[in-house]
Structures are given as structure tokens and as C-alpha cells.
Amino acid sequence: MHKTTRKIILIICGIIILPLVFYVVFQVSRLSEEEQMIEEIYSKQLDAILFSINQYSNDLLNTFATQIELGVNYPQAYDVQEELLDKYVFPMILSIKNDSLKYHESYYSGAPFIRDTLEPKIVDLHRKNAQIIDRLMHYKKNNFTKLEPLGEIELGQQKYNSIAFVTKDEKNNILYNCTLLISPGAFIESLLGPRIQQVAAEEFVIQAKRADIKEAIYSTDSTKITSFQSKSLWLLSNYSLQIAPKDKSVKQIAKERAEANFYILIGLVILLILGFLLIFRNLNREVQLAQNKSDFVSSVSHEIRTPLALISMFGETLLLNRIPTEEKKREYYEIIVKESTRLRNIVNKILNFSQIEAGKKVYNFEEVDLTELSKEIVNTYSFHLQNKSFDYETRWTEKPQKISADSEAITEAIINLLDNAIKYSLDEKHITITTSFKGDCAFVEIADKGVGIEPKKKKQIFDKFYRITQGNIYNVQGAGLGLSLVKQIMDDHKGKIEIDSELDKGSCFRLLFPIISEKEEDHAEDTDR
């Protein structure tokens, strides 16, 4: 790994990774606390739901108290007993005039035998709760009506809840103690039930229970849940409302939420790690590219310096006329021409690469026979191959290979592959050039018996400025642009490159071009006409 890359990675670790690790450790250690906090929040939410039901219950009873007061003040116009008994299923409404705790006739009552049975019990209940009655009367004197539970009264086998409040006869300016006798089961089922069902919806189970009975007297669902949030009904002694999430306990929900937070945290960590790896990969690639550029400058400088030095040296020698024979003079001329050609090729390659990289390269696409073009290139290049002591073999397809291409660009791509084959064939100097078809593509193939390419480096060889430097090919001259140019030319021609290579056994580069279809060919002919 490059030293600069290591430094940058250490900086990234210091800025991002280490704080992230501390944050993850901190969050994991807090998971149990968060679970407890979620449980408390959820419990408070359930308490709020129970509070709303309790408040609704109180509002109902306060409505009944208001109706009683209307009946006291307008008895002929408002039949309180019928309204409450028939509509709201209350068995008894009993109002008793208070005069220094001496109880007189009932202001409202039910049937005489019920009145006779209940009145002594209510009087006794009022005496036992004298302080509450005095307080309620004090509230009413200040124009405030308040309801207070006094306890239970038995009538036969049924128990009723008694709720006291004070009302006022405005005409006669007299205060009366009133007692609502409520059948809890009927009250909860008939009046609270719809409200409870509405609140429960499909998310909660809400039950109403009496303290001394295990079974619920009312439930929104048949689901049996042992873990309930409970709150007493304010005005109904010994009765409570219980609520629980449907199918799950509060603890389970809190645990699931804590686990969900944990998984989200893990997901975030994984995403950050993947992001870090991506950054590292791109960073490493950029550092490698910078290194390759540096090597490229050094290599190109060397490659340009060498032919310039030779041209300068042999040109100066010829200029000073220090050549003893014509044969030697001709040899020097050949060296100058050879090095000039080499220098021109280097400069052209750099210029072509610069144009393609900048998107300024203009291609002249025309119908080309790939086989015929390959034959011309090999015929032109054969002298160079022979000069390098290479023998070559050609395998041309007889069927025309009609493609749409820029002849100069394809020529440059094939020559780059031939140059590459020459550079990396150190021992066995043999090259095979083949043209044929593969699917709906025509291809030209350059195969050598050189050093080959490691599998892991097959993709890298097309990177800009990249050069293979392992083993005995470290000093092979080159700018690292040849294969990158080939790749860009093939991309611009909507073609592709295939590589078959085995280390120490050679490489085969295959350039595939889309074939011109008959419809495209007919269209091109019509356009030419």
C-alpha cells in the first residue's frame, strides 16, 4: 500500500471510524435503558387512554347530575325518573333533603317498596360520609357541583355504586343531597362500552374488572393477556379499567423497538463501512493513478529523450562529416529515420489519448471490411515484425466482415495490440492474427506466446498509465497508454474487448465489432444515392 494512502486512511479512521465505534459502543450499552424508557413512555400513553375513558365516564355522570338539577327546579316539565330509568338503565335516583343531618321525605324515588328498602341504607351511608356531604354542600353554595363516590349498596343479590352530589332548588333556595345508584355492569356496557371500543380500535384490549372478581365484566376482545396497565374508575368503587396492546405486552413492544433500533444502528454501521470501503477503493485508485501519471511522465521523458539524443548525436556526426564510409552514413540515416518514427508514434499516441480523454476526438465512421483492413495493417507492419525477429501467422476469414468504423482509429488499436505483443514476448517470438465471427460480431484477434497476464490484473491493464511491472518485464519500455487507447476506441465504436491469457503462456486480445445488418447497409446505400 502506498505511503500516502496509508496516511489518508489513518486520517479517515481518526475522523470517522473511531467516533463511530465509540458511538456504537455507547448506543449498545444504552439499549437496555432505551428499552426501559420506551416501556415507560408506552405506559404513560396507556395511562392517557385510561384517563380519557375515566374523563368520559365523569362527563356522563355530570350530565345526569345536571338532569337531576333540572328535574328539581322544573319537576312538571322534566321527568327525571323516566328519563334516567328508561334510557340509561339506572334502577334508582333518590334525593333526600338535608336539615342538620335529619333526613326527611324523598324528593324523587322509585316504587314504594324499593324506596322503603333503600332509604335507610342511603341515610346510613350519608351519615357515615358526613364530611364528604358537608364538603359537597360547601361546593354547591359556591355554585360548583362535584360528584363523590360513597360506596356500595346491596339490593337483593346485586350491588350498586352510590354517587353523591348536591343540587339546589333555585325557587325555594334549598340544597338537596342527591344519590345516584348505578348498576356498574349496565353502566359500563351500555354507556362506556361504545367509547371503549372506539378507543381500543384494533390495537388494544381494554377490560373492566371488579377488584374481587378474576374475570372481566367487560372486554373489547376475547384475547387473554396477563400483562395489563390498570387504572381505577374514579366514581365506581372497586372497579378498574385495564389496557394492553393487542397480541403483545408493553415489555415485548419496548423490546422489539429497542431491537429495531439496534438493527438500524447495525445497518447504519454496515452502510458506513461500505461507504468507507468505497472511499478507500476510489482513493486507492486515485493514488495509484497519480503514481501511474508520475511513472508515465518519467517513462515518456525517458522514451522521448532517448530518440532525441540519438537523432541529435547521429545528426551532429553527419553534419561534421565524420563518417568514413557511405555504408556507415546510410546506417546513421536509417537510425535517425527509425528514431524519428518512434518519436512521432509516441507524440501521436499522447495527442490521440488527450483528444479522446477530452472528448474532442472526431471519428469518420464508414463501412469497413475488417479483414481487408487487418490485411493492410499486417502488410505495412510486417517489416517491423521481421526487424524485431518475429514470425507471424495470419488466419483470414473468407466471408466479408462489414462494420461501421473509423479506419484510422481501428488501425491504431490493432497496431497498439501488435506493439504490446512484441513488447511482452521475450523468448518465443510468434504472433497469430485472426479474423472471424462470433455471434452478431466480427472480430480481429492478436495472439502471442509472451509472458501472459495474471487473472487479477486483466481489468487493470486498461487503466490509464497502468503498466505491468512484475518479474523480468519491469524494464519494458512504454507509456502505459496503448491498451487504454484501445479500450476507449472500442467503447466509441460500441464494441468490446475479450482477453484470454495464461501466465507464462501468452495472451490473446480479441476486438469485437457489431456487424452492419442488411437493413443498415441498404439505408447507407440509399443515403449515398
Side-chain angles (χ1 to χ4, degrees):
M1 189 184 293
H2 197 272
K3 187 182 290 185
T4 305
T5 308
R6 284 199 299 268
K7 286 182 179 178
I8 295 173
I9 289 172
L10 289 174
I11 292 171
I12 292 175
C13 286
I15 295 174
I16 299 175
I17 303 299
L18 288 179
L20 176 63
V21 170
F22 288 131
Y23 175 74
V24 170
V25 171
F26 174 72
Q27 287 298 325
V28 170
S29 65
R30 285 197 61 208
L31 281 178
S32 59
E33 295 179 14
E34 288 185 359
E35 182 179 336
Q36 186 178 356
M37 182 176 67
I38 291 170
E39 188 173 350
E40 289 176 0
I41 291 171
Y42 210 85
S43 295
K44 288 179 181 179
Q45 289 177 338
L46 298 186
D47 278 343
I49 292 173
L50 295 181
F51 179 87
S52 70
I53 296 174
N54 247 327
Q55 189 64 52
Y56 180 73
S57 170
N58 277 22
D59 290 343
L60 283 175
L61 295 174
N62 273 297
T63 300
F64 301 152
T66 302
Q67 291 175 339
I68 292 287
E69 191 157 18
L70 286 171
V72 168
N73 286 282
Y74 309 100
Q76 294 177 348
Y78 200 87
D79 191 349
V80 180
Q81 182 178 356
E82 183 179 354
E83 178 76 15
L84 293 177
L85 288 178
D86 295 345
K87 190 173 181 180
Y88 299 107
V89 202
F90 286 98
M92 173 63 72
I93 300 166
L94 192 64
S95 299
I96 303 174
K97 185 166 64 173
N98 181 287
D99 183 12
S100 302
L101 291 180
K102 293 179 181 179
Y103 290 82
H104 302 287
E105 62 179 320
S106 299
Y107 193 86
Y108 289 110
S109 67
F113 70 92
I114 297 177
R115 181 189 60 196
D116 295 341
T117 304
L118 284 176
E119 187 169 344
K121 294 183 178 182
I122 292 175
V123 170
D124 183 58
L125 197 62
H126 278 219
R127 291 184 184 279
K128 289 179 180 178
N129 294 280
Q131 291 183 345
I132 294 176
I133 300 300
D134 287 342
R135 186 164 65 247
L136 293 177
M137 295 187 72
H138 175 73
Y139 290 151
K140 193 60 184 178
K141 287 176 182 178
N142 290 282
N143 296 317
F144 176 66
T145 302
K146 182 175 174 59
L147 281 70
E148 288 281 358
L150 298 183
E152 291 183 327
I153 292 178
E154 290 188 13
L155 182 61
Q157 295 181 346
Q158 189 172 358
K159 292 183 179 180
Y160 294 90
N161 278 74
S162 62
I163 298 174
F165 66 96
V166 175
T167 188
K168 184 177 182 180
D169 182 346
E170 299 289 348
K171 184 178 180 180
N172 300 309
N173 196 26
I174 299 173
L175 295 178
Y176 292 92
N177 290 333
C178 300
T179 302
L180 293 175
L181 295 182
I182 298 173
S183 174
F187 176 78
I188 292 171
E189 185 171 354
S190 300
L191 296 178
L192 289 187
R195 178 71 172 188
I196 292 172
Q197 287 286 356
Q198 182 185 1
V199 171
E202 296 297 324
E203 297 181 19
F204 304 102
V205 177
I206 301 179
Q207 296 180 349
K209 288 189 71 176
R210 182 180 167 87
D212 55 355
I213 300 176
K214 290 183 179 180
E215 296 297 325
I217 64 170
Y218 176 83
S219 179
T220 58
D221 196 279
S222 59
T223 306
K224 290 186 177 180
I225 299 177
T226 54
S227 178
F228 276 95
Q229 195 81 5
S230 181
K231 186 174 284 290
S232 297
L233 277 166
W234 297 335
L235 296 178
L236 297 182
S237 304
N238 298 324
Y239 285 88
S240 63
L241 288 173
Q242 298 179 330
I243 185 171
K246 204 167 187 178
D247 303 323
K248 295 176 184 177
S249 67
V250 174
K251 192 165 187 176
Q252 285 175 316
I253 291 174
K255 186 177 180 181
E256 286 178 4
R257 288 194 179 181
E259 288 176 354
N261 290 339
F262 176 75
Y263 291 134
I264 290 170
L265 187 63
I266 293 298
L268 177 63
V269 171
I270 292 171
L271 284 176
L272 287 172
I273 290 173
L274 290 175
F276 172 75
L277 292 176
L278 184 62
I279 292 172
F280 168 72
R281 180 185 173 188
N282 292 335
L283 181 64
N284 195 44
R285 184 179 293 172
E286 291 300 318
V287 170
Q288 187 62 49
L289 181 61
Q291 183 62 45
N292 290 343
K293 283 183 179 180
S294 177
D295 294 341
F296 164 75
V297 172
S298 177
S299 175
V300 168
S301 299
H302 175 74
E303 289 212 18
I304 291 176
R305 190 184 298 117
T306 301
L308 282 175
L310 290 173
I311 291 169
S312 177
M313 182 180 68
F314 287 111
E316 187 178 346
T317 302
L318 290 168
L319 181 65
L320 295 175
N321 200 20
R322 294 176 180 175
I323 312 302
T325 63
E326 288 296 322
E327 184 180 352
K328 203 69 175 173
K329 187 181 290 187
R330 181 178 179 82
E331 180 185 347
Y332 285 2
Y333 280 131
E334 286 178 355
I335 291 172
I336 290 173
V337 171
K338 177 184 173 183
E339 294 302 322
S340 297
T341 303
R342 180 182 165 191
L343 185 61
R344 185 182 68 247
N345 289 338
I346 293 171
V347 173
N348 285 341
K349 189 176 290 186
I350 294 171
L351 289 175
N352 286 336
F353 176 80
S354 177
Q355 285 182 331
I356 293 174
E357 185 77 359
K360 296 180 180 180
K361 179 70 175 178
V362 178
Y363 293 102
N364 180 27
F365 286 95
E366 57 185 355
E367 185 179 304
V368 176
D369 189 313
L370 184 58
T371 299
E372 294 302 320
L373 180 60
S374 300
K375 286 180 181 179
E376 291 177 15
I377 295 169
V378 172
N379 288 336
T380 304
Y381 207 74
S382 59
F383 175 78
H384 186 65
L385 289 169
Q386 292 169 3
N387 193 43
K388 292 287 186 178
S389 302
F390 272 81
D391 64 291
Y392 64 92
E393 177 185 357
T394 58
R395 299 172 184 169
W396 310 120
T397 182
E398 294 181 1
K399 187 178 178 181
Q401 291 182 302
K402 293 183 179 181
I403 63 172
S404 177
D406 184 305
S407 299
E408 289 185 7
I410 301 305
T411 299
E412 184 174 6
I414 294 174
I415 288 176
N416 276 329
L417 291 181
L418 288 170
D419 281 340
N420 212 56
I422 291 170
K423 286 179 185 178
Y424 294 100
S425 296
L426 304 181
D427 299 321
E428 193 170 351
K429 299 187 176 183
H430 181 84
I431 296 175
T432 303
I433 302 101
T434 305
T435 59
S436 188
F437 295 89
K438 185 175 181 181
D440 58 352
C441 291
F443 70 80
V444 58
E445 183 179 276
I446 313 295
D448 63 59
K449 295 184 179 180
V451 296
I453 305 168
E454 294 180 41
K456 65 181 181 180
K457 293 185 177 180
K458 283 185 180 179
K459 290 185 178 180
Q460 291 177 278
I461 59 175
F462 295 106
D463 291 345
K464 294 174 286 187
F465 314 116
Y466 181 80
R467 296 180 63 218
I468 298 175
T469 55
Q470 82 273 10
N472 57 355
I473 60 171
Y474 184 82
N475 293 320
V476 173
Q477 292 181 338
L481 293 179
L483 290 179
S484 180
L485 272 172
V486 174
K487 178 71 167 59
Q488 291 187 40
I489 290 170
M490 292 305 295
D491 288 344
D492 293 339
H493 282 72
K494 294 181 174 58
K496 58 182 179 179
I497 307 174
E498 291 181 352
I499 307 172
D500 297 323
S501 184
E502 192 173 345
L503 204 59
D504 299 327
K505 291 187 178 181
S507 302
C508 174
F509 287 82
R510 192 176 300 109
L511 305 182
L512 294 100
F513 300 87
I515 302 170
I516 296 178
S517 64
E518 292 182 3
K519 290 182 179 180
E520 290 176 337
E521 191 174 348
D522 293 341
H523 178 71
E525 289 177 1
D526 293 339
T527 305
D528 292 339
R529 287 173 192 160

